[in-house]
């Protein structure tokens, strides 16, 4: 998710952050339990792969071969530091699938704002992993730096999926070892937010806070209705129904992934957020219904969903499904040690079975220990302080005196 207001000078660049650094955060940073792929000797960069090569994507050579799946979201490689992070990942030594094991990477959206940076990033990742999976995020569909190259964001979506096909990046379901990996298209809708609004402060409008409303362009029949876009993107998954059933039959465990958030419990409560209306632009009920149908009847510990967008690290189990967010996020967020997890990314969620250890994630750690209180709209102290500093006194002073 973007800080959707001018960044450098406007205080609202903190809109989507939530907590100040604390000793607890520093302890979590030190808990680096999982390592990215071991550095190897550099080899020649991968070249663009033809569509036929993408169709004949490599598989783990033998059932006994070690299969690892790493996850990451929100690469935002328009930032040079983030592109450099991608380039520092170890390049694989030989052709895909020829190594001692099989390493796949799941990229849960928001790779880059321009198609060119997107292709550069995906090509670099293909040189580093035996398989790369991807679903589009909102930033990927922005048009403001494309110089009129696309009529609308749908045309750009097609261009990105074509680029994936050429580069051998998977955008459909596939089984890797015993694991079925299923990308799910999605978009957010306001009615996803079911919790009580914070009314004690004047919150900037969605149109002001969320750049998508200006940086994306949609066909007229999709742009005006709150749920039309969410439904449109959800329906894109229908074409994969048969392939999903095939993957489910062949797999012992299933990993679904999306860019957007499937459940409101996977985002901090409004009173904790610098932008309390954030839940109106992050998630989709259609997505939750779809992934739950896929994971229906899964055995304990065999269902995982990876998402992105909010830049809050997350790892928790809700109703039998493990939900993980592992965002690279913005360089400034990593500097503040709040949301991103540079030191332990990409996160190894699977090594011949889902990794039983929980990812060190500040907010899901908090909610694993504390009950959610959506009825409580009293601002957290740091949010009350922020609003008081940048937006003047609260509308109802008594409600925000403590938090
Ligand atoms: Fe996003």
């Amino acid at each position: 998710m973007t800080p959707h207001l001018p960044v450098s000078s406007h205080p609202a660049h903190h809109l989507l952050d939530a907590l100040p650094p604390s000793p607890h955060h520093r302890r979590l940073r030190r808990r680096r339990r999982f390592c990215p792929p071991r550095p190897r000797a550099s080899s020649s960069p991968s070249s663009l792969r033809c569509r036929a090569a993408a169709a004949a994507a490599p598989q783990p050579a033998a059932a006994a071969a070690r299969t690892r799946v790493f996850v990451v979201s929100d690469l935002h490689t328009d930032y040079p530091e983030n592109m450099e992070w991608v380039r520092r990942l170890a390049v694989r030594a030989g052709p895909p699938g020829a190594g001692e094991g099989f390493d796949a990477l799941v990229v849960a959206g928001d790779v880059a704002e321009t198609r060119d940076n997107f292709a550069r990033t995906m090509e670099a990742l293909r040189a580093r992993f035996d398989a790369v999976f991807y679903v589009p995020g909102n930033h990927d569909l922005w048009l403001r730096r494309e110089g009129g190259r696309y009529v609308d964001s749908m045309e750009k979506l097609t261009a990105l999926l074509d680029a994936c096909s050429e580069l051998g990046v998977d955008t459909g379901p596939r089984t890797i070892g015993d694991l079925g990996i299923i990308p799910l298209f999605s978009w957010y809708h306001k009615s996803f937010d079911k919790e009580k609004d914070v009314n004690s402060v004047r919150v900037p409008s969605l149109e002001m806070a969320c750049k998508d409303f200006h940086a994306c362009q949609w066909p007229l029949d999709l742009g005006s209705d709150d749920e039309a876009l969410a439904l449109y993107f959800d329906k894109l998954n229908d074409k994969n129904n048969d392939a999903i059933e095939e993957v489910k039959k062949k797999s012992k465990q299933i990993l679904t992934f999306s860019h957007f958030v499937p459940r409101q419990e996977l985002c901090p409560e409004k009173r904790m957020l610098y932008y309390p209306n954030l839940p109106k632009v992050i998630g989709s009920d259609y997505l939750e219904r779809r992934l739950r149908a896929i994971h229906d009847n899964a055995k304990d510990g065999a269902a995982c969903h990876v998402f992105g967008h909010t830049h809050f690290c997350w790892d928790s189990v809700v109703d039998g499904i493990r939900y993980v967010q592992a965002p690279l996020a913005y360089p400034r967020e990593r500097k503040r040690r709040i949301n991103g997890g540079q030191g332990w990314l990409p996160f190894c969620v699977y090594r011949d079975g889902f990794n039983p250890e929980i990812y060190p994630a500040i907010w899901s750690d908090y909610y694993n220990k504390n009950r959610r209180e959506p009825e409580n709209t009293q601002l957290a102290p740091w949010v009350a302080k922020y609003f008081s500093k940048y937006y003047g006194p609260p509308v109802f002073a008594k409600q925000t005196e403590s938090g």
Side-chain angles (χ1 to χ4, degrees), residues 1-2 74 76 109-110 137-139 212 259-260 308-311:
M1 193 63 190
T2 311
D74 302 280
H76 294 290
D110 277 3
N138 49 321
H139 283 242
D212 296 344
H259 179 62
F260 296 100
H309 190 53
T310 55
H311 295 196

Side-chain angles (χ1 to χ4, degrees), residues 10-253:
H10 198 290
H13 74 273
H14 300 305
L15 279 181
L16 305 180
D17 299 336
L19 274 177
S22 71
H24 176 59
H25 301 156
R26 287 192 285 275
R27 273 199 306 282
L28 287 173
R29 274 193 287 122
R30 287 198 294 269
R31 291 162 59 194
R32 184 184 167 185
R33 296 171 181 154
F34 308 108
C35 299
R38 187 163 45 85
R40 297 165 176 160
S42 180
S43 65
S44 61
S46 70
S47 58
L48 289 186
R49 290 159 204 287
C50 66
R51 285 163 193 266
Q59 291 290 336
R66 185 254 306 136
T67 300
R68 296 191 299 182
V69 177
F70 296 84
V71 298
V72 71
S73 70
D74 302 280
L75 288 171
H76 294 290
T77 55
D78 303 295
Y79 290 93
E81 301 98 312
N82 286 21
M83 186 66 93
E84 185 53 33
W85 180 89
V86 169
R87 294 204 167 114
R88 282 202 308 268
L89 295 172
V91 175
R92 63 178 144 68
E100 58 194 34
F102 193 92
D103 288 339
L105 178 69
V106 165
V107 183
D110 277 3
V111 169
E113 189 179 332
T114 66
R115 190 264 177 209
D116 291 346
N117 277 344
F118 174 85
R120 273 192 280 273
T121 307
M122 287 310 196
E123 186 177 9
L125 291 174
R126 282 300 282 124
R128 287 155 176 79
F129 291 88
D130 298 303
V132 176
F133 290 78
Y134 164 76
V135 288
N138 49 321
H139 283 242
D140 299 322
L141 301 183
W142 285 7
L143 300 178
R144 61 180 190 166
R145 290 185 186 151
E146 296 291 5
R149 199 170 177 182
Y150 306 108
V151 172
D152 58 26
S153 294
M154 287 303 175
E155 192 174 294
K156 185 172 179 188
L157 171 63
T158 303
L160 296 186
L161 296 179
D162 284 348
C164 287
S165 180
E166 288 164 9
L167 291 161
V169 171
D170 288 273
T171 56
R174 182 178 158 200
T175 301
I176 300 284
D178 291 329
L179 179 68
I181 301 181
I182 302 176
L184 293 175
F185 292 93
S186 61
W187 198 265
Y188 55 79
H189 56 96
K190 282 184 228 168
S191 50
F192 170 80
D193 171 23
K194 310 286 191 303
E195 296 184 351
K196 201 169 171 184
D197 281 332
V198 166
N199 292 318
S200 55
V201 288
R202 290 182 190 89
V203 178
S205 69
L206 293 178
E207 288 72 19
M208 188 181 170
C210 180
K211 272 190 192 155
D212 296 344
F213 292 99
H214 312 286
C216 292
Q217 286 171 29
W218 305 108
L220 281 180
D221 55 331
L222 291 177
S224 55
D225 183 332
D226 175 31
E227 295 197 8
L229 266 178
L231 186 58
Y232 179 90
F233 274 85
D234 182 65
K235 288 279 176 202
L236 291 178
N237 299 302
D238 283 349
K239 71 177 188 322
N240 289 330
N241 282 346
D242 291 345
I244 289 171
E245 287 310 310
E246 275 304 302
V247 162
K248 282 172 72 175
K249 269 188 231 160
K250 284 197 289 188
S251 309
K252 289 183 184 164
Q253 301 97 7

Side-chain angles (χ1 to χ4, degrees), residues 3 45 102 118 172 180 191 221-222 258 272 324 332 351 376:
F102 193 92
F118 174 85
S191 50
D221 55 331
L222 291 177
S258 61
M272 311 283 200
V324 173
R332 62 177 173 275
R351 186 185 169 104
N376 181 359

